[in-house]
Amino acid sequence: MATCEVCGNEYEMSFEVHAQGEVHTFDSFECAVTRMAPICEHCQCRIMGHGVGVNGHFYCCAHCARTADPEGAREIRDAVPA
Ligand SMILES: [Zn+2]
Ligand SMILES: [Zn+2]
């Protein structure tokens, strides 16, 4: 039995996530995402996929990167056929 570090729930099916040398304990993926997932700097959604990094900023997709930083993101493309 472990306690979720986000909501405090004690749950027998809780699990650990090892990231950047730290161990986090969660009772659900929702709590894990709340704690771990970066936030798109343009639309503020949780980045569940790979995301797009431009000049130290992080976005959920190429559209957000281009909208927020047209100069830096000029070369960014989503991995889909044009
Ligand atoms: Zn939780
Ligand atoms: Zn976004």
Side-chain angles (χ1 to χ4, degrees), residues 26-70:
F26 305 107
D27 65 334
S28 65
F29 280 109
E30 184 169 1
C31 285
V33 166
T34 299
R35 177 73 169 78
M36 307 292 296
I39 295 173
C40 174
E41 293 186 29
H42 180 67
C43 72
Q44 269 79 55
C45 74
R46 296 279 175 190
I47 301 172
M48 307 276 289
H50 293 111
V52 179
V54 180
N55 296 333
H57 299 276
F58 211 55
Y59 307 99
C60 66
C61 62
H63 169 79
C64 281
R66 279 195 298 270
T67 304
D69 185 0

